[in-house]
């Protein structure tokens, strides 16, 4: 039987892939997929159980990381460190539970959830990133490693 974390990672990967940008064409043609995201590794915490995903907005690829406001408060999460495939620090995203009020009307955010995004480039774009949630003491709270492919825009 799979461990709870293994089951969560599998379910999270399927959910993330499903949320990664499916949309039908305006002409009623077949669905297209903007990005496909897979989770490869997960840390020991649960703050990043919702994973991370590649998304596309106006042709720009973004890394999107959903966090629970409660997890941010309980774990005193101060930032998300994003490491590239060579394990070099590529981005640091500041995090605050106080951001909830600003994100309340943001698309893709559920009640009690924060969504942090980092612009990565224009599609087509692919990459592997390790996202690390860090608390105010500089300690790792949780991590997740994802790989995604954001495909070229398909036009008729």
């Amino acid at each position: 039987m799979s461990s709870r974390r293994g089951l969560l990672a599998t379910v999270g990967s399927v959910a993330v892939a499903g949320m990664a940008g499916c949309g039908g064409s305006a002409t009623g043609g077949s669905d297209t997929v903007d990005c496909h995201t897979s989770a490869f590794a997960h840390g020991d915490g649960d703050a990043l159980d919702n994973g991370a995903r590649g998304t596309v907005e106006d042709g720009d690829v973004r890394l999107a990381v959903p966090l629970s406001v409660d997890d941010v408060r309980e774990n005193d999460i101060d930032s998300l460190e994003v490491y590239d495939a060579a394990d070099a620090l590529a981005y640091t995203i500041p995090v605050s539970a106080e951001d909830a009020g600003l994100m309340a009307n943001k698309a893709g955010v559920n009640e009690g959830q924060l969504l942090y995004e980092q612009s990565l480039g224009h599609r087509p774009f692919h990459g592997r990133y390790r996202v690390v949630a860090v608390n105010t003491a500089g300690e790792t709270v949780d991590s997740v490693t994802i790989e995604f492919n954001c495909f070229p825009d398909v036009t008729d």
Side-chain angles (χ1 to χ4, degrees):
M1 177 178 247
S2 298
S3 70
R4 177 181 171 269
R5 180 156 311 282
L7 177 62
L8 286 172
T10 301
V11 169
S13 294
V14 170
V16 166
M19 295 185 302
C22 296
S25 70
T27 61
S30 64
D31 288 340
T32 61
V33 177
D34 291 323
C35 296
H36 173 76
T37 305
S38 299
F40 285 94
H42 197 288
D44 293 330
D46 59 5
L48 292 171
D49 277 354
N50 288 322
R53 65 186 181 270
T55 65
V56 175
E57 184 176 314
D58 297 328
D60 291 326
V61 176
R62 297 170 180 254
L63 176 67
V65 183
L67 292 173
S68 158
V69 174
D70 291 339
D71 282 341
V72 171
R73 285 190 179 119
E74 291 169 11
N75 294 295
D76 202 19
I77 298 174
D78 183 59
S79 65
L80 297 171
E81 294 179 348
V82 180
Y83 294 86
D84 63 18
D87 210 31
L89 180 63
Y91 306 100
T92 299
I93 304 169
V95 171
S96 172
E98 304 309 313
D99 293 339
L102 298 171
M103 291 188 185
N105 296 321
K106 186 175 173 109
V109 176
N110 296 324
E111 186 175 334
Q113 195 175 48
L114 305 167
L115 182 65
Y116 290 96
E117 296 178 289
Q118 175 64 51
S119 181
L120 300 174
H122 298 289
R123 69 188 207 180
F125 192 93
H126 64 275
R128 180 179 279 213
Y129 292 91
R130 182 170 56 96
V131 180
V132 179
V134 179
N135 66 17
T136 56
E139 301 166 333
T140 297
V141 172
D142 197 8
S143 65
V144 64
T145 302
I146 63 156
E147 183 173 86
F148 62 87
N149 290 307
C150 292
F151 308 106
D153 191 16
V154 177
T155 57
D156 292 330

